Amino acid sequence: MADHSHIEWTDATWNPITGCSVVSPGCANCYAMTLAGTRLKHHPSRAGLTQASKAGPVWTGEVRFNEAWLDQPLRWRRPRMVFVCAHGDLFHESVPDAWIDKVFAVMALAQHHTFQVLTKRAKRMRQYLSTWPMNDMPDRITTLACDIAYKNGRGWQGNCGVATRPLPNLWLGVSAERQQEADARIPDLLATPASVRFVSLEPLLGPIDLTNIEAKAGVGVDVFSGLEFDGDPADDVEFGTATLDWVIVGGESGTAARPMHPDWARSLRDQCTTAGVPFFFKQHGEWIGVPDLKQLPGGSGPGFGACDWSPYDQEHEAVRVGKARAGRLLDGREWSQMPCSPPPCGEGLGVGPGRRR
Ligand code: SF4
């Protein structure tokens, strides 16, 4: 785990569970998988979780509970945003409910932090949280929380029985790379009890229309308004009261990174600004659109001639300049909006409690 994360939208990562398996094209160049099979290959939290292949390390599907790291957030006194299971998936099919319960017990105890859970297993997340009693935590998690608080050797001062469903300090999100993954995962996110719901569209591998998510055959949902429609405006109905609170977009990084067309990011930015939903542009990734070279230091000068080039389509090209150089400006501007939680903090575009900027 790491305090002071390099991930732009969080402060720290917490990895009580490590290990995973590939589920969709967005996983192909998984950073956590590569790390687990190279630099951390012999670390007890990663050993044996990957196997070698011609394309590099691949997850075996085994997952691991890192008990020694469970109470780490209780020892962080300063409030911060904490990305949970950044090197795995909390709702992976091999993770037993008992482990998830322990993670939730710690999140319920450490209410001075804001936890960010991101999954590609949206159905399991929905099933897990939907079994909780309305407006309350299951007794088993309250008991666990009190047990963990008691065992925490540093004189934990909090109240172990006060958390409710949904946890006020927990943001739930799904990641998706193309329209089909967004269609498959976002409806389950919207049906999951949560204080804040978000999506991470990274690595973005295709255009995504969040105003027309196919929740079921022939039925689209605007995830910003909750409006459900089937093409006939007279039939539009409310899908539910839940809507998205935050959208993160980013291109891919790493040696095998695939280019993200900047127009896909622009479209998502425009969808968010129209809806008044916070938009966070994390990075272009390794590649940048040729017309956007002019916003980089050195512009479109001769230094770019030796780089790799890739066509997005017949009319547009991208050039590989590296993640650091491509940066995170979109049309000359940084987009670092965050959800407002807890309110009030402006017009829905505020910073979370742990942010320093
Ligand atoms: S779900 Fe996440 S952690 Fe698991 S393989 Fe895919 S990208 Fe990696």
Side-chain angles (χ1 to χ4, degrees):
M1 81 213 76
D3 201 357
H4 309 296
S5 171
H6 66 278
I7 299 170
E8 290 81 354
W9 46 262
T10 197
D11 295 317
T13 53
W14 172 44
N15 294 305
I17 295 166
T18 43
C20 200
S21 47
V22 167
V23 283
S24 57
C27 300
N29 301 314
C30 173
Y31 169 77
M33 181 166 71
T34 302
L35 200 63
T38 53
R39 191 155 59 83
L40 298 180
K41 192 174 170 182
H42 302 297
H43 193 279
S45 65
R46 311 302 205 286
L49 297 184
T50 59
Q51 60 192 16
S53 81
K54 281 184 182 167
V58 181
W59 293 121
T60 60
E62 182 185 341
V63 293
R64 186 158 299 146
F65 187 61
N66 304 302
E67 184 90 45
W69 293 346
L70 183 64
D71 68 353
Q72 180 77 16
L74 303 181
R75 288 182 259 130
W76 291 334
R77 299 288 168 163
R78 178 179 57 77
R80 63 198 76 186
M81 309 285 291
V82 182
F83 179 18
V84 182
C85 295
H87 290 250
D89 190 329
L90 180 62
F91 294 101
H92 187 277
E93 46 277 15
S94 297
V95 174
D97 277 1
W99 294 3
I100 305 175
D101 287 351
K102 288 186 179 181
V103 171
F104 269 77
V106 171
M107 296 192 294
L109 276 173
Q111 293 196 22
H112 57 304
H113 299 315
T114 298
F115 292 93
Q116 300 161 308
V117 168
L118 192 56
T119 185
K120 283 188 171 71
R121 277 88 176 174
K123 281 200 181 352
R124 176 142 191 234
M125 177 172 71
R126 175 183 179 178
Q127 282 163 0
Y128 175 81
L129 279 156
S130 298
T131 61
W132 287 28
M134 190 59 71
N135 300 323
D136 208 354
M137 282 213 306
D139 288 345
R140 68 179 194 277
I141 294 182
T142 304
T143 303
L144 266 175
C146 292
D147 193 38
I148 292 167
Y150 179 74
K151 285 182 184 157
N152 185 274
R154 300 189 183 211
W156 175 250
Q157 300 298 312
N159 182 342
C160 63
V162 296
T164 57
R165 182 194 105 163
L167 291 181
N169 60 329
L170 171 58
W171 299 3
L172 292 179
V174 297
S175 53
E177 58 270 39
R178 303 171 301 176
Q179 188 73 47
Q180 51 263 58
E181 286 82 23
D183 289 348
R185 296 168 191 161
I186 294 177
D188 283 314
L189 173 67
L190 296 182
T192 305
S195 299
V196 170
R197 296 178 184 83
F198 70 102
V199 291
S200 172
L201 309 177
E202 182 197 0
L204 189 61
L205 300 180
I208 296 178
D209 184 357
L210 292 172
T211 68
N212 191 5
I213 290 293
E214 192 173 64
K216 48 195 175 200
V219 177
V221 173
D222 180 341
V223 300
F224 298 120
S225 67
L227 201 63
E228 179 180 306
F229 53 89
D230 59 8
D232 179 356
D235 293 341
D236 290 353
V237 294
E238 289 292 321
F239 177 71
T241 53
T243 53
L244 273 192
D245 302 301
W246 190 29
V247 175
I248 302 166
V249 168
E252 194 165 37
S253 54
T255 49
R258 296 154 282 187
M260 175 195 70
H261 198 307
D263 284 352
W264 303 337
R266 288 190 181 100
S267 166
L268 286 157
R269 173 202 59 195
D270 294 345
Q271 292 170 44
C272 288
T273 50
T274 300
V277 168
F279 175 74
F280 196 104
F281 184 61
K282 183 167 172 270
Q283 61 190 36
H284 283 276
E286 301 291 330
W287 301 79
I288 194 164
V290 171
D292 296 316
L293 282 173
K294 62 181 181 300
Q295 76 184 17
L296 305 185
S300 53
F304 294 102
C307 295
D308 291 337
W309 296 76
S310 166
Y312 294 122
D313 52 43
Q314 287 184 338
E315 295 166 14
H316 302 93
E317 276 193 313
V319 58
R320 186 179 185 119
V321 298
K323 177 184 145 178
R325 199 167 185 188
R328 49 187 304 258
L329 297 181
L330 188 60
D331 294 332
R333 196 199 134 165
E334 189 178 300
W335 294 84
S336 299
Q337 295 169 339
M338 303 280 287
C340 172
S341 178
C345 51
E347 299 170 355
L349 303 177
V351 293
R355 304 303 291 180
R356 291 178 297 277
R357 59 179 188 237

